[in-house]
């Protein structure tokens, strides 16, 4: 999700924070306090390997706390458990979301030789003030060396950081700036993950609302409503291990695949972790990438690597700072506030939308798709009556083998895999087949579109009584300015309509496959047989190193 909720257009109201409410009283974020029963924690890094030590930082109002660490896969594997650790409340800076919490280390433990690569959940619990309280954190254990028969799942940690509002600010809104009402351009990793990012209760709603909508329907944002009612941060449904990656891991392990887990930060700082890997996968929502991440992935692909991306909303450039302990992204304000604008040699590192003309590196060059040509669907006033599936155009492509797919099928509509943000390409229909034009930076000869479906970048306001919009036209107007230099009516209209695609893209000797939708994992978690079969076709072909010509 690229916009801010304080902008938009239309006859309806725009959802926003009450300006009369003190910033520190906003319900949408969490933070440390000594006035209410609580326990919070974070680790000193995002990933570790066997033999390394994990430092755990804990703040609690209780005199003691308990700790459990488990590998979150098909089966829950408890690897570390300690009770009655000493609890202590710590002073926390008001700007901790930007500078870090600075809590001392409360407990240390080592990654044992029996710990398999994967996603690990840390659970801290305590009894305080007559209440039981808990918090969940997450880290990865990366493989010592890539396994030739294992796929690598790369967790979208840069996107998690951007959405994490713990402490008051994230990349969407916050308590930063002179008026305490701005998104923060720099976000610290040294703070807890927000509630819902590592673990979610059964039944927590996703962003795409199911069901048929009547005439006169008013846009709803049910996940945000649920968050408010149940004490979760506002953006819990947009990101995180619990919402996306864990569903893929559980499905893949049930199918017999070996899944090793790394983070985007590993790709940035330790590119050797994928050098000999047969396949890198990304799922869910991977909106934020650094220049180095793209460089290292392109190098891997050009040497014959394979990537399977079941994710959507390819968009923003970030810069990692403080040895990876902080992430910078000025977003909509990059052109006037990002320090790299002062240097002609560094403007390519501008933390704006990747397709911004000042960066000069279209995202489609790497991934064969771009959020500029895609974006929102089945959320709020964006395509709310969409089928939830991709329209099949090339049913004889190998990816559809065994899927019983026909030309024109709504692939994945049974489970609703198309949403909430998608990536597409500029295309034209030739003889009934969508063909890339190359106007978005991709080499048309390098990409084959096998399915697509419409998306939108302007949230429609039908004037129905009670309408409140979340994004409106703000994102589209920004995108038009970034891509074309000015948000003229023609430029806004051109970008207001997009698509999501299923496609295959060649990069050097390598190949990448994109089912470019955040919600693809819904089809896997829900047991949609066609979605499962296509996913297995891609994984098996790429893991086997088969010729894709």
């Amino acid at each position: 999700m690229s916009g801010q909720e304080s902008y938009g257009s239309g006859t309806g109201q725009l959802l926003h924070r009450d300006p009369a409410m003190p910033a520190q009283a906003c319900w949408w974020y969490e933070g440390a306090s000594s006035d209410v029963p609580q326990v919070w924690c974070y680790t000193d890094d995002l990933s570790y390997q066997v033999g390394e030590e994990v430092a755990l930082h804990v703040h609690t109002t209780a005199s003691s706390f308990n700790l459990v660490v488990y590998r979150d896969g098909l089966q829950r594997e408890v690897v570390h458990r300690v009770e009655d650790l000493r609890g202590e409340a710590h002073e926390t800076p008001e700007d901790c979301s930007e500078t870090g919490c600075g809590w001392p280390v409360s407990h240390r433990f080592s990654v044992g030789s029996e710990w398999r690569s994967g996603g690990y959940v840390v659970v801290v619990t305590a009894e305080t003030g007559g209440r039981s309280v808990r918090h969940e954190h997450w880290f990865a254990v990366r493989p010592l060396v890539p396994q030739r028969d294992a796929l690598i799942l790369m967790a979208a940690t840069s996107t998690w950081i951007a959405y994490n509002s713990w402490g008051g600010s994230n990349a969407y809104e916050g308590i930063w700036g002179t008026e305490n009402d701005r998104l923060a351009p720099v976000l610290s990793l040294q703070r807890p993950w927000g509630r819902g990012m590592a673990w979610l209760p059964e039944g927590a709603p996703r962003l795409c609302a199911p069901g048929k909508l009547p005439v006169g329907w008013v846009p709803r944002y049910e996940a945000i409503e649920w968050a408010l009612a149940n004490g979760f941060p506002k953006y819990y449904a947009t990101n995180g291990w619990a919402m996306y990656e864990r569903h893929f891991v559980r499905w893949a392990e049930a199918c017999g695949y070996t899944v090793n887990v790394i983070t985007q930060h590993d790709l940035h700082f330790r590119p050797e972790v994928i050098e000999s890997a047969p396949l890198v996968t990304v799922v869910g929502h991977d909106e934020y990438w650094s220049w180095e991440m793209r460089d290292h992935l392109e190098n891997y692909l050009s040497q014959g690597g394979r990537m399977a991306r079941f994710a959507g909303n390819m968009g923003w450039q970030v810069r990692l700072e403080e040895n990876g302990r902080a992430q910078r992204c000025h977003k909509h304000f990059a052109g006037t506030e990002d320090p790299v604008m002062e240097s002609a040699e560094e403007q390519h590192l501008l933390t704006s939308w990747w397709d911004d003309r000042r960066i000069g590196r279209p995202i489609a060059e790497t991934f064969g798709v771009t959020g500029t040509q895609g974006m929102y669907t089945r959320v709020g006033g964006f395509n709310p009556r969409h089928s939830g599936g991709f329209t099949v155009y090339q049913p004889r492509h190998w990816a559809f083998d065994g899927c019983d797919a026909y030309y024109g099928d709504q692939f994945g509509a049974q489970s609703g895999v198309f949403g909430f943000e998608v990536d597409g390409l500029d295309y034209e229909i030739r003889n009934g087949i969508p063909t890339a034009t190359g106007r978005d930076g991709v080499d048309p000869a390098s990409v084959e579109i096998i399915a697509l479906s419409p998306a939108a970048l302007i949230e429609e306001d039908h004037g129905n009584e009670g309408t409140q919009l979340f994004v409106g036209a703000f994102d589209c107007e920004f995108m038009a300015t970034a891509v074309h230099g000015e948000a003229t009516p023609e430029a806004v209209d051109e970008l207001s309509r997009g698509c999501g695609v299923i496609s295959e893209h060649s990069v050097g000797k390598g190949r990448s496959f994109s089912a470019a939708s955040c919600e693809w994992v819904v089809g896997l978690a829900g047991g949609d047989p066609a979605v499962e079969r296509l996913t297995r076709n891609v994984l098996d072909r790429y893991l086997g190193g088969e010729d894709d010509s």
Side-chain angles (χ1 to χ4, degrees):
M1 186 173 288
S2 57
Q4 296 174 273
E5 67 162 348
S6 55
Y7 295 89
S9 63
T11 59
Q13 299 180 67
L14 195 70
L15 290 174
H16 66 286
R17 185 180 72 205
D18 183 348
M21 179 185 293
Q24 288 76 10
C26 292
W27 64 268
W28 63 270
Y29 72 83
E30 305 157 299
S33 171
S34 59
D35 300 329
V36 295
Q38 62 191 285
V39 61
W40 302 104
C41 73
Y42 63 91
T43 53
D44 61 332
D45 208 343
L46 292 177
S47 76
Y48 306 86
Q49 64 183 28
V50 168
E52 292 184 340
E53 185 178 71
V54 181
L56 185 68
H57 307 255
V58 180
H59 161 90
T60 181
T61 54
S63 59
S64 67
F65 67 92
N66 301 325
L67 167 68
V68 173
V69 182
Y70 65 88
R71 184 184 185 276
D72 193 18
L74 180 60
Q75 305 296 330
R76 179 177 293 190
E77 304 170 21
V78 175
V79 296
H80 185 65
R81 187 193 301 269
V82 186
E83 296 185 351
D84 288 327
L85 290 166
R86 181 173 179 270
E88 187 175 358
H90 304 294
E91 291 293 325
T92 305
E94 290 187 5
D95 61 350
C96 62
S97 43
E98 300 102 70
T99 62
C101 291
W103 303 337
V105 175
S106 302
H107 181 65
R108 298 180 187 271
F109 55 94
S110 295
V111 177
S113 59
E114 73 282 6
W115 293 29
R116 296 188 292 147
S117 177
Y120 284 74
V121 176
V122 178
V123 184
V124 287
T125 57
E127 300 287 334
T128 175
R131 289 177 51 194
S132 297
V133 291
R134 63 177 279 169
H135 176 62
E136 302 84 20
H137 195 68
W138 181 95
F139 64 85
V141 171
R142 59 187 185 272
L144 287 170
V145 293
Q147 298 172 247
R148 291 304 305 172
D149 60 345
L151 63 88
I152 284 183
L153 173 66
M154 183 167 61
T157 46
S158 279
T159 298
W160 302 3
I161 293 162
Y163 281 94
N164 184 14
S165 58
W166 201 97
S169 296
N170 64 10
Y172 293 84
E173 49 194 321
I175 58 174
W176 183 81
T178 57
E179 302 299 322
N180 292 333
D181 62 354
R182 285 276 306 277
L183 64 87
V186 178
L187 296 168
S188 175
L189 280 67
Q190 299 299 292
R191 56 180 173 143
W193 293 122
R195 186 179 287 115
M197 296 178 72
W199 172 88
L200 278 169
E202 291 295 328
R206 306 186 74 85
L207 280 173
C208 295
K212 296 182 178 180
L213 305 176
V215 173
W217 173 82
V218 171
R220 292 280 302 279
Y221 311 91
E222 294 176 356
I224 295 177
E225 296 167 7
W226 183 89
L228 174 60
N230 290 276
F232 280 72
K234 177 178 178 179
Y235 293 104
Y236 84 89
T238 63
N239 71 105
W241 173 262
M243 182 58 62
Y244 292 113
E245 283 89 349
R246 84 175 296 264
H247 294 295
F248 178 83
V249 170
R250 288 172 56 81
W251 172 84
E253 292 187 346
C255 292
Y257 295 102
T258 299
V259 182
N260 290 332
V261 176
I262 65 171
T263 70
Q264 282 184 293
H265 289 65
D266 292 318
L267 178 65
H268 182 108
F269 290 108
R270 307 177 183 95
E272 66 277 3
V273 77
I274 67 168
E275 281 181 359
S276 59
L279 173 62
V280 175
T281 57
V282 181
V283 301
H285 193 186
D286 62 336
E287 186 174 357
Y288 295 78
W289 289 72
S290 71
W291 188 278
E292 291 84 352
M293 292 173 196
R294 285 187 64 182
D295 276 353
H296 297 154
L297 182 64
E298 285 182 5
N299 182 64
Y300 163 78
L301 291 171
S302 67
Q303 299 302 312
R306 308 294 172 94
M307 179 182 184
R309 181 173 174 265
F310 306 103
N313 192 209
M314 186 63 65
W316 299 100
Q317 176 168 209
V318 300
R319 296 199 302 276
L320 300 186
E321 301 177 344
E322 299 178 20
N323 295 318
R325 291 177 176 264
Q327 176 171 292
R328 179 182 293 271
C329 191
H330 289 264
K331 299 185 70 172
H332 308 87
F333 308 102
T336 56
E337 298 182 4
D338 193 332
V340 300
M341 287 299 294
E342 299 175 4
S343 169
E345 291 75 23
E346 293 186 340
Q347 284 188 19
H348 65 286
L349 298 176
L350 185 71
T351 56
S352 180
W353 193 253
W354 272 109
D355 290 340
D356 191 315
R357 69 201 185 285
R358 293 166 293 190
I359 295 175
R361 192 181 187 185
I363 196 75
E365 290 180 354
T366 302
F367 298 97
V369 293
T370 172
T372 307
Q373 297 293 338
M375 207 51 76
Y376 304 108
T377 186
R378 299 176 56 229
V379 59
F382 295 101
N383 301 20
R385 295 192 179 98
H386 193 284
S387 72
F390 290 87
T391 301
V392 175
Y393 283 91
Q394 300 208 52
R396 290 186 292 276
H397 188 274
W398 60 260
F400 288 124
D401 287 351
C403 295
D404 194 29
Y406 291 87
Y407 181 85
D409 273 2
Q410 291 298 292
F411 188 86
Q414 172 182 321
S415 50
V417 300
F418 193 83
F420 73 100
E421 291 179 318
V422 298
D423 296 323
L425 287 171
D426 187 75
Y427 68 93
E428 57 188 14
I429 300 292
R430 300 176 184 171
N431 299 319
I433 301 295
T435 304
T437 66
R439 286 194 289 266
D440 40 33
V442 72
D443 175 2
S446 72
V447 65
E448 182 178 20
I449 299 171
I450 64 174
L452 63 74
S453 202
L457 194 47
I458 289 183
E459 188 175 20
E460 294 185 41
D461 179 3
H462 288 191
N464 296 325
E465 187 174 1
T467 293
Q468 295 190 31
L469 301 181
F470 191 81
V471 178
F474 173 74
D475 279 353
C476 193
E477 292 166 356
F478 164 77
M479 208 81 74
T481 302
V483 174
H484 297 295
E486 185 179 359
T488 64
E490 294 77 15
V492 171
D493 181 69
E494 175 187 328
L495 293 175
S496 66
R497 295 171 296 277
C499 65
V501 300
I502 302 178
S503 62
E504 191 175 22
H505 179 230
S506 61
V507 181
K509 299 177 181 179
R511 309 283 290 184
S512 66
F513 187 94
S514 285
S517 171
C518 291
E519 292 294 274
W520 188 266
V521 294
V522 174
L524 303 179
D528 186 321
V531 174
E532 289 189 282
R533 181 57 187 265
L534 184 147
T535 307
R536 294 195 66 158
N537 287 345
V538 175
L539 299 183
D540 292 346
R541 189 178 187 92
Y542 279 9
L543 280 170
E546 295 184 39
D547 179 25
D548 301 301
S549 59

